[in-house]
């Protein structure tokens, strides 16, 4: 069978790579894909925008696709899954109402409160309620968090160090600075601790957590500087203990699925809980995402032994309760992101990428994100260019392997952090 993967990031390359490892998968079509999916055997790209619903449907029908996997949040939030299902095409990924968990922070907060999922105290305010928003900020004091209500490509959240900064962020959000986000704002209590991501796969009834992951969002070493889409990640994250994982499963994931079902939302796909773990081990949900994480996927999937297509089919056919336990490789997985110089600010594209063969020979799996095949040559085409993943018996060896591979790769202006995994490495 053939599968269509929607998206063009490192996540989608990892999904295509993992799907192609299954005996049952003859081919993967990526829309639009990247340089990595274009050069992977068994995979082809079709250049279409992810909001070209009609075009995607045509590709699915022409290639006799068994099912579609929707990678990014934007097509999910605008209803691509709903559209394809109406055309009798099977889809792994939630419908538009389910995707609200990610596309509306105020909806998600209300949902969490209604069903008793632990989360930071918050208020939600429309533009008319700006005075009340300011009062909320004054009452809680700084640090405090301001979130534009809607998808903002990871740029809608301000962790304000002062009351003034928080108020400025509220004004900016109402001023439309975050595009489709910003009709209302969520102002939220600041939580201390370490962040971790728990992704789970679900058919809307049953939920199966994947290995917990921890990423580095900041651009600079020592977790400093502006936030990015993610500069590196590792799994399984030891900060999420087995006991904590069991609590997350029952108090967060199962509750969420039950709550969605009660609201008539048939949720099939990935439910991703972004967690804040306090120094005392208290777990709060910062946000939900409705799709695989990027770069978490590039660290998690290399450890997964269960064929991904079988797991996804079990979800789409609502058989997850009867599916055997997920099988994982033992050991640890590391992923180091290589970015274009200047990212997350402005950067140049079109730089020739060299050394990928040597990186692969060094035992790494190189997932492409912002790359493109141009006249047979691989060039940079985005802020995050590559995710260099490696697995080994422990984190030290996994990071040594990943960094060795990173050292083999070269493109002008390449930037990466040397300290990815500092919490779990001894070297
Ligand atoms: N209540 C909070 N307390 C402390 N930090 C927060 C809080 N909410 C969000 N953050 C920080 O802001 C980042 C982005 O917030 P998040 O809710 O994940 O939105 P998004 O991923 O959509 O930008 C988080 O990864 C975290 O670092
Ligand atoms: Mg987030």
């Amino acid at each position: 069978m053939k599968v269509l993967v929607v998206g063009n990031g490192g996540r989608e390359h990892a999904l295509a790579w993992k799907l192609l490892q299954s005996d049952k998968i003859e081919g993967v079509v990526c829309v639009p894909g990247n340089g990595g999916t274009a050069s992977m055997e068994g995979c082809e790209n079709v250049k279409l925008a992810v909001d070209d619903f009609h075009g995607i449907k045509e590709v699915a029908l022409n290639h006799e696709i068994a099912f579609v996997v929707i990678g990014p949040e934007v097509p999910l939030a605008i209803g691509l899954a709903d559209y394809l299902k109406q055309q009798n095409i099977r889809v792994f990924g939630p419908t538009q109402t389910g995707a609200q968990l990610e596309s509306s922070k105020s909806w998600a907060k209300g949902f969490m409160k209604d069903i008793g999922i632990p989360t930071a105290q918050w208020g939600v305010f429309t533009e008319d309620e700006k005075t009340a928003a300011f009062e909320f900020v004054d009452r809680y004091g700084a640090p405090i968090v301001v979130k534009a209500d809607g998808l903002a490509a990871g740029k809608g959240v301000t962790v304000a160090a002062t009351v003034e900064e928080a108020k400025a962020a509220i004004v900016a959000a109402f001023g439309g600075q975050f595009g489709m986000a910003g009709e209302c704002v969520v102002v939220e209590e600041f939580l201390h601790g370490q962040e971790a991501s728990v992704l789970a796969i679900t058919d809307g009834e049953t939920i199966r957590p994947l290995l917990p992951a921890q990423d580095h969002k900041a651009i600079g070493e020592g977790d400093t500087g502006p936030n990015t889409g993610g500069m590196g990640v590792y799994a399984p994250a030891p900060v999420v203990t087995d006991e904590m994982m069991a609590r997350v499963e029952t108090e967060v994931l199962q509750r969420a699925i039950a709550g969605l079902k009660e609201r008539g939302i048939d949720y099939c796909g990935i439910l991703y809980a972004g967690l804040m773990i306090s120094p005392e081990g208290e777990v709060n949900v910062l946000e939900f995402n409705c799709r695989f994480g990027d770069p978490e996927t590039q660290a998690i999937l290399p450890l997964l032994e269960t064929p991904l297509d079988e797991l996804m089919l079990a979800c789409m056919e609502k058989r997850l309760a009867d599916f055997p336990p997920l099988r994982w490789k033992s050991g640890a997985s590391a992923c180091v992101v290589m970015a274009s110089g200047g990212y997350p600010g402005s950067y140049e594209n079109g730089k020739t990428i060299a050394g990928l063969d040597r990186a692969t020979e060094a035992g790494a799996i190189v997932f492409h994100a912002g790359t493109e095949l141009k006249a047979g040559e691989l060039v940079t085409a985005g802020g995050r260019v590559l995710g260099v993943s490696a697995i080994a018996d422990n984190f030290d060896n996994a990071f040594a392997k990943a960094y060795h591979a990173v050292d083999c790769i070269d493109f002008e202006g390449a930037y990466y952090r040397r300290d990815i995994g500092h919490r779990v490495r001894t070297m």
Side-chain angles (χ1 to χ4, degrees):
M1 80 188 145
K2 281 173 108 179
V3 179
L4 194 160
V5 174
V6 175
N8 67 350
R11 163 184 52 212
E12 286 76 25
H13 188 187
L15 288 168
W17 169 84
K18 181 64 196 166
L19 285 165
L20 279 167
Q21 285 180 355
S22 166
D23 302 337
K24 301 204 182 76
I25 300 291
E26 296 149 355
V28 171
V29 181
C30 278
V31 176
N34 57 32
T37 54
S39 9
M40 188 164 53
E41 206 183 314
C43 193
E44 65 178 292
N45 287 354
V46 177
K47 282 259 170 293
L48 286 176
V50 299
D51 62 358
D52 184 351
F53 289 11
H54 178 78
I56 292 170
K57 177 196 79 177
E58 292 296 306
V59 173
L61 297 177
N62 293 341
H63 286 78
E64 295 178 22
I65 291 294
F67 61 91
V68 177
V69 181
I70 304 176
E73 61 276 18
V74 169
L76 290 166
I78 59 178
L80 178 58
D82 309 60
Y83 174 85
L84 293 172
K85 283 182 175 176
Q86 280 157 18
Q87 318 287 325
N88 290 318
I89 296 169
R90 285 200 291 191
V91 185
F92 183 82
T95 56
Q96 193 169 20
T97 47
Q100 282 180 101
L101 264 186
E102 176 165 3
S103 66
S104 169
K105 297 217 183 267
S106 62
W107 191 88
K109 290 296 273 190
F111 175 75
M112 285 192 255
K113 182 185 175 199
D114 288 350
I115 61 176
I117 289 180
T119 187
Q121 293 299 314
W122 87 104
V124 54
F125 307 96
T126 62
E127 194 162 4
D128 298 343
E129 297 160 336
K130 199 162 79 185
T131 316
F134 282 11
E135 277 165 19
F136 186 97
V137 169
D138 287 327
R139 184 148 39 92
Y140 272 88
I144 192 160
V145 183
V146 178
K147 302 185 174 187
D149 186 42
L151 295 180
K155 296 184 178 68
V157 173
T158 306
V159 180
T162 62
V163 165
E164 291 69 34
E165 195 188 335
K167 290 180 181 174
I170 292 169
V171 171
F174 289 138
Q177 192 173 314
F178 307 110
M180 73 186 268
E183 268 171 31
C184 56
V185 294
V186 171
V187 185
E188 189 172 290
E189 165 201 13
F190 177 85
L191 298 174
H192 292 270
Q194 277 193 53
E195 287 181 62
S197 308
V198 175
L199 282 73
I201 192 159
T202 181
D203 60 2
E205 308 269 345
T206 304
I207 190 120
R208 293 285 180 87
L210 308 182
L211 294 180
Q214 199 166 28
D215 74 341
H216 294 268
K217 295 183 204 306
I219 186 75
E221 288 176 4
D223 297 312
T224 55
N227 270 356
T228 69
M231 293 304 293
V233 61
Y234 46 92
V239 66
V240 186
T241 60
D242 290 348
E243 178 272 329
M244 215 179 271
M245 196 68 177
R247 260 193 290 145
V248 170
E249 190 170 348
T250 52
E251 291 169 22
V252 175
L253 299 170
Q254 278 169 5
R255 261 183 217 171
I257 288 304
L260 289 165
K261 202 176 153 189
E262 266 167 35
R263 284 157 184 73
I265 297 172
D266 187 15
Y267 194 102
C268 168
I270 293 291
L271 180 63
Y272 161 151
L275 307 174
M276 183 68 89
I277 301 167
S278 79
E280 297 76 36
E282 196 190 322
V283 177
N284 275 286
V285 175
L286 291 183
E287 65 162 349
F288 281 115
N289 291 323
C290 64
R291 35 78 193 174
F292 281 98
D294 189 339
E296 288 91 337
T297 309
Q298 293 90 300
I300 293 172
L301 290 185
L303 289 172
L304 180 67
E305 282 191 334
T306 303
L308 186 59
D309 58 315
E310 289 178 19
L311 195 49
M312 289 176 163
L313 280 168
C315 287
M316 290 180 282
E317 293 167 5
K318 281 209 185 298
R319 300 185 272 105
L320 197 56
D322 304 322
F323 199 81
L326 303 195
R327 285 179 290 116
W328 298 97
K329 292 189 170 69
S330 62
S333 180
C335 174
V336 177
V337 170
M338 299 182 76
S340 297
Y343 173 78
S346 60
Y347 53 83
E348 284 175 23
N349 286 331
K351 310 292 182 196
T352 304
I353 303 170
L356 294 185
D357 288 347
R358 279 175 53 220
T360 311
E361 280 158 24
I365 314 158
V366 181
F367 293 119
H368 295 225
T371 77
E372 180 180 23
L373 258 189
K374 241 186 183 164
E377 193 189 41
L378 198 66
V379 297
T380 64
R384 288 188 296 165
V385 177
L386 301 167
V388 182
S389 294
I391 57 174
D393 51 347
N394 61 37
F395 280 118
D396 282 341
N397 292 335
F399 276 103
K401 215 194 246 188
Y403 275 113
H404 180 59
V406 165
D407 287 337
C408 299
I409 300 171
D410 188 46
F411 56 89
E412 193 190 314
Y415 170 79
Y416 59 92
R417 279 179 57 172
R418 275 262 154 218
D419 67 338
I420 300 300
H422 60 77
R423 289 193 188 86
V424 294
R425 279 154 67 185
T426 62
M427 323 191 286

